Each structure stands twice: as structure tokens, then as C-alpha cells.
Amino acid sequence: MTTRSRPNRHHGRWRRLLPWLAAGLALAACSGPGADAPVSETQTPVAAGTLDSVAVVTHGTPGDAFWNVVKNGAQAAGEKLGIRVEYNSDGDPGQQAKLVDNAVAQGVGGLVVSMANPEALRPSVERAVAAGIPVVTINSGEADSAASGAIGHVGQSERSAGEAAGRRLRDAGKSKMLCVIHEAGNVSAAERCGGAIQGFGNAGTLQVDINNPTDAQARIRGALEADRSIDAVLTLNSQIAARAVAAAGELRSNATVATFDLNPDVVDAIRAGKLLFAVDQQQYEQGYLPVVMLQLYRTNLNTVGGGRPVQTGPAFVDSGNVDAIAKLVAQGTR
């Protein structure tokens, strides 16, 4: 979809606030989980100008509630700033790279891209940079962002988030964990599970396919049935979380299920006591903030983060705060 905003009397006020927003983002980046990470150089600024269009290209699958929220954030920022935002996604890395190439060919003013498969995406991102298009990476590919020429990265450090999730399950008294990976080749998923295993201890992994939810549920059920000592299941995606809850219910298993990411089903499951918690990376920010960052870069040669990623998580949603968060999930901003 393409979104335009209409000029309004608040537009000037918003532009006056942009430098303060940039300062706030920089502080957030320096105080997040990756604040002690090595600092890499940011992209050398080119000539300042204006920004009239941004292409957002992600690896989201059709109908995924998580990525719909990212899209909502990007379009809301475009409306505020008077920037045309076009969102496209494809779960196949090769097709996602083609979407990036198409945006470059169309002369888009700025590019936001998730790099779940850096090897497949990096050549296209580098071509965008070579064409003079500033790039902000989001969600995935934090380690490859600067090397690809991006001016910044917005997301959650997945290994740190995984460690925090693993510790939570361990502290809940669980003794053996199954970590369910839903996309083969997704570096973020691998980092999440790796961190979770480090934080938890005694754990194994299971590969399923997010595009085949019935089979995913059957595989989770099979793993729980084969090893009754598994008392914790961590999924890395809100859609797969529902399948894990269903699989445990079919077996009358006592395994506790927790997940990454939010959607209405996850909120309902937490309220019903079927999910212990959800790791919330606040993906609305992953859509919204990059558009602001690109606007600042184009108009004022600002970069944000000082070579470190701008952290949007992890935050945790559990029985203590789910009622307040539920309202925001319903309106498509969490």
C-alpha cells in the first residue's frame, strides 16, 4: 500500500521536534542490551536533501500479525512526516532481494529492510547504497548491517533476548526445554535459540515450517510425546506459539509454553494461563523509527546510535501486564 499524508498545521511543529527525537533515540541505543557492544563506524553522510518516499521490504509472510504491526508503524511515521511509504514482503530470501532491487530501480528515496538471510540480501542492499539510497536495517541482520552500508539498525539483540527468555523459564523451575525454530536459514531464529539454550541449560531444538502450521503442531506434539521430561517449550513466533499450546493440550502435557512476539492469540493464551510469557520486541518501533531516521539523515545528515543498534527489546508480557498491553495489540501498535 502507498500512504500519503496531507499537510497540516502540526507539520512544522513535528519538524522542530525531530532533533530532540534524534537525541532521545541515541540515548536509548546507548542504554539498551547492546550498549556494551563494540562501536562500528556509521556510513559517511552524502549530500543533504529531501525525502519523499521510503520502501520497506521485509521477510514477513502474508497475514503475519507481527509484520502487520511493523507496517502500521512505518505508515504512521510516513503520515506524520509527509513521506510516501510503500511496504512489501516475501518470506523467500531470493524474492525479498528482488523486491529490494525493484525499489532501487524505481529510485526510492530511502530503504528499510530486514535481513533474516544476510547472504541473500547483502548484494541488493549494497546496490542500494551504491545508488545513493540510505538504508536502515530492521529486526534481523544486526551483525551485517554496518558492513552492508546501512546507516543504522533498529531491532532487538536476539541472543541477549534469548538468554533472558531462557533464564525466565529456568527461574520458573523448569528442567528441560525445547526451542522451536520456525524458519530454516533465519539468523535471528538461530540466535534466539542459541541464547535461550545458554540462559536455560538443558535444552534441545526442533525445526518446523511456519508455512505448514498443521505439520508444525504435529512435530511439536511428537517431540513432547517422545520425551516426557520436556517441561518447557519456547517458540520464536506468535503463530507457532498457538500450535505449541494446542500440541501440549492434545497430550495433556504439563509442559509450560512461552514465546517470542505478540498477537491477539498470544494475549488470550497468557490471560488463560496457557502461555507463561511473551518476549515483546515492540515491532511497531521497528517500522516507525527507521522512517524518522531516514528523514533526519536526508534533511540534516543525522545518524542515530553511534554505530550501535537502536534496541526495541526485549520487553516481557505476562499475567501482570497483559491486560494493559491487550488494548494496544487490538489497535495494531503492539
Side-chain angles (χ1 to χ4, degrees):
M1 269 183 82
T2 299
T3 303
R4 292 182 181 271
S5 69
R6 297 178 180 176
N8 59 67
R9 62 178 181 276
H10 300 297
H11 193 73
R13 182 184 304 171
W14 176 253
R15 289 186 178 276
R16 291 194 295 273
L17 290 174
L18 285 176
W20 297 100
L21 176 57
L25 286 173
L27 286 173
C30 292
S31 61
D36 57 351
V39 177
S40 59
E41 293 184 8
T42 55
Q43 183 78 0
T44 302
V46 292
T50 60
L51 180 66
D52 60 358
S53 63
V54 169
V56 181
V57 182
T58 78
H59 65 279
T61 54
D64 190 320
F66 176 92
W67 290 105
N68 287 342
V69 176
V70 175
K71 178 181 178 181
N72 291 344
Q75 291 183 335
E79 290 173 359
K80 284 282 189 179
L81 295 171
I83 297 168
R84 185 174 72 255
V85 172
E86 182 172 347
Y87 179 95
N88 287 288
S89 66
D90 200 301
D92 178 83
Q95 293 302 314
Q96 187 191 2
K98 288 182 180 179
L99 290 173
V100 173
D101 291 337
N102 290 342
V104 173
Q106 292 168 9
V108 69
L111 178 67
V112 180
V113 58
S114 64
M115 295 180 70
N117 190 316
E119 184 177 349
L121 269 294
R122 186 166 177 170
S124 294
V125 171
E126 289 177 341
R127 282 193 288 271
V129 174
I133 300 171
V135 178
V136 175
T137 58
I138 62 169
N139 183 265
S140 306
E142 173 187 323
D144 295 88
S145 177
S148 300
I151 63 169
H153 178 82
V154 180
Q156 169 180 265
S157 290
E158 303 292 7
R159 181 162 289 271
S160 297
E163 287 181 22
R167 286 194 300 269
R168 276 208 168 206
L169 285 169
R170 182 195 63 198
D171 293 344
K174 304 305 170 182
S175 60
K176 189 170 186 179
M177 180 184 72
L178 178 68
C179 188
V180 183
I181 299 176
H182 60 280
E183 286 178 342
N186 185 326
V187 293
S188 292
E191 289 172 357
R192 286 178 179 183
C193 259
I197 291 170
Q198 184 174 345
F200 186 89
N202 183 25
T205 62
L206 175 68
Q207 179 73 57
V208 301
D209 183 359
I210 189 173
N211 295 310
N212 192 340
T214 302
D215 182 68
Q217 183 172 324
R219 287 177 180 271
I220 295 169
R221 173 176 174 160
L224 293 175
E225 192 169 22
D227 187 351
R228 292 283 183 170
S229 67
I230 296 173
D231 58 1
V233 178
L234 179 64
T235 65
L236 310 180
N237 171 274
S238 54
Q239 291 175 288
I240 299 300
R243 297 296 172 170
V245 168
E250 288 173 352
L251 283 177
R252 300 181 183 272
S253 169
N254 292 323
T256 294
V257 182
T259 191
F260 276 73
D261 302 334
L262 286 174
N263 69 8
D265 290 337
V266 167
V267 167
D268 291 343
I270 292 174
R271 281 173 156 169
K274 296 179 180 179
L275 272 174
L276 183 61
F277 63 79
V279 183
D280 180 19
Q281 60 179 303
Q282 303 179 110
Q283 70 270 27
Y284 186 83
E285 295 180 340
Q286 295 176 18
Y288 196 103
L289 297 180
V291 178
V292 177
M293 290 166 66
L294 289 169
Q295 168 79 334
L296 287 167
Y297 182 78
R298 276 293 196 189
T299 61
N300 206 45
L301 297 180
N302 291 128
T303 56
V304 177
R308 297 188 177 103
V310 177
Q311 298 286 344
T312 64
F316 287 88
V317 179
D318 56 24
S319 60
N321 62 356
V322 67
D323 288 336
I325 297 296
K327 301 174 183 177
L328 305 173
V329 172
Q331 71 183 28
T333 59
R334 286 296 287 270

